[in-house]
Amino acid sequence: MNAHPQTIQIFLPSGDPQGIRTASITTRIVQVVEIPRLRLEEFLKRPEANSVGIYILFCENDETERPKAYVGQTGNFGNRLKQHNEKKGLWWNRAVVAFSLTQSLTVTHAHYLEWLALSHAAQAQRFEMDNGTGGTKPHTLPALEAECREIFETIDILLTTLGYPIFEPLIRNRNPVTQTTEPVLDLQKQSIPTEFYCRASGVDGRAQYTQEGLVVLAGSYGRAEVSSSFNYAQKRQAMLEQGLLRIEGDRIYFTRDVLFKAPSPAATVLLGHSVNGWAKWKDSTGKTLEEAMDRSTPGNDCEA
């Protein structure tokens, strides 16, 4: 996603911020509509219910607490969502549809956009996907492919604005990190987040601090054995069951990047006992995360 100033318009047809919401970038023809499942009948009466495009069903997996999604394409949103409402089971609670305000999208567009969405969602690994694999890339003419990629960029921006960053990677830039004298707090001025380390006997954790929190990088490892003060047993067990962690001997490994909303749970999972993550995570010069963020009074950050 290319970052530059943009104007996004969000409209509440019923005036209820928890109800149906439409979102669009004022200079583009793509619009998305967020539909609570309880408001599906209300959406079916709207003209966009007859449109062509892609849709995503959302919810949270009650067992893993991970967000879950299903991506699909259709020539008629109303008919397809009614089918999902009747046959897809009870797991989804909100749907988001994306279409053209000029009705210029064809089924060919929709198939390619569906493939793009599944591919990006699989790469981002933020959501548990109900689709499984992304399938085979559809044969598409270069001009239409370029058009679809521009449309998809708009859909990505609008979904993220509405609170569904399904296509956004946890770490946007994988280049080697260079240390900077600028404060980490001013993230907008840095093209690469500063990397921090949590190291001790049997522990080698690497992470990047982002606008969302601390992302522990794949390949980081910590202690499999935990102390009596370890208070994240349930969280770590859930991560093991989800395949985010694996145990080998006396070590526990991160199999992929994992976002923690606060630094202390990230350090605690690695070390096997409760710690203050603001003091434990340090950059390559030895400066703590607390110092780098100019955070003078650390609090209890228990949110994982």
Side-chain angles (χ1 to χ4, degrees), residues 108 111-112 136-142 144-145:
T108 304
H111 277 289
Y112 193 84
T136 305
K137 179 181 179 181
H139 175 70
T140 309
L141 294 175
L144 192 143
E145 180 177 335

Side-chain angles (χ1 to χ4, degrees), residues 9-263:
Q9 184 180 65
I10 297 177
F11 176 62
L12 311 177
S14 67
D16 180 2
Q18 296 298 317
I20 292 176
R21 298 191 294 172
T22 71
S24 60
I25 297 176
T26 55
T27 56
R28 302 188 190 181
I29 64 170
V30 177
Q31 184 176 82
V32 302
V33 181
E34 180 187 13
I35 310 144
R37 191 169 184 173
L38 290 175
R39 299 288 185 90
L40 180 57
E41 289 300 322
E42 181 181 334
F43 170 75
L44 296 178
K45 298 174 184 177
R46 296 175 60 88
E48 53 262 36
N50 299 315
S51 298
V52 177
I54 64 168
Y55 64 91
I56 310 176
L57 308 179
F58 289 102
C59 78
E60 186 175 273
N61 188 317
D62 290 333
E63 295 180 359
T64 64
E65 297 184 353
R66 286 190 70 198
K68 185 177 179 180
Y70 175 90
V71 175
Q73 59 78 29
T74 181
N76 185 291
F77 288 129
N79 291 340
R80 193 69 180 110
L81 291 180
K82 280 193 293 185
Q83 291 173 356
H84 279 297
N85 192 43
E86 296 166 358
K87 301 179 182 179
K88 192 60 183 175
L90 300 176
W91 70 261
W92 66 278
N93 53 30
R94 299 184 91 81
V96 177
V97 302
F99 59 97
S100 167
L101 291 169
T102 61
Q103 300 298 314
S104 57
L105 294 188
T106 66
V107 174
T108 304
H109 286 96
H111 277 289
Y112 193 84
L113 287 168
E114 178 190 38
W115 175 80
L116 272 179
L118 287 170
S119 300
H120 281 261
Q123 292 170 12
Q125 296 185 334
R126 283 180 178 265
F127 283 65
E128 179 183 324
M129 299 303 298
D130 198 51
N131 295 74
T133 61
T136 305
K137 179 181 179 181
H139 175 70
T140 309
L141 294 175
L144 192 143
E145 180 177 335
E147 184 180 357
C148 285
R149 290 187 179 276
E150 183 176 346
I151 291 169
F152 180 77
E153 179 183 340
T154 303
I155 295 172
D156 182 8
I157 293 170
L158 295 174
L159 279 172
T160 302
T161 301
L162 289 175
Y164 303 101
I166 184 172
F167 308 127
E168 288 295 295
L170 292 173
I171 302 295
R172 295 184 182 179
N173 197 320
R174 290 287 179 182
N175 293 331
V177 173
T178 56
Q179 293 299 325
T180 175
T181 57
E182 296 181 29
V184 178
L185 188 61
D186 196 358
L187 291 173
Q188 295 286 22
K189 294 183 179 180
Q190 298 184 56
S191 59
I192 305 173
T194 300
E195 191 159 293
F196 291 87
Y197 308 91
C198 177
R199 287 171 174 157
S201 175
V203 177
D204 188 4
R206 295 169 47 246
Q208 290 189 9
Y209 197 81
T210 72
Q211 296 178 87
E212 295 180 86
L214 193 77
V215 178
V216 178
L217 304 181
S220 298
Y221 63 83
R223 301 166 184 156
E225 185 178 352
V226 299
S227 71
S228 58
S229 67
F230 185 74
N231 53 359
Y232 286 96
Q234 186 175 355
K235 172 71 175 178
R236 190 157 81 158
Q237 183 58 37
M239 293 171 68
L240 284 165
E241 293 173 357
Q242 294 168 41
L244 303 177
L245 300 174
R246 76 173 188 277
I247 294 178
E248 290 185 8
D250 60 353
R251 289 182 177 177
I252 191 162
Y253 289 85
F254 279 75
T255 60
R256 60 177 185 250
D257 300 345
V258 176
L259 171 65
F260 290 84
K261 298 297 185 182

Side-chain angles (χ1 to χ4, degrees), residues 278-300:
W278 291 100
K280 198 63 182 178
W281 290 100
K282 298 178 181 180
D283 66 16
S284 61
T285 67
K287 182 182 293 185
T288 67
L289 178 58
E290 177 187 348
E291 293 168 336
M293 290 291 293
D294 193 24
R295 186 175 185 272
S296 58
T297 308
N300 294 325

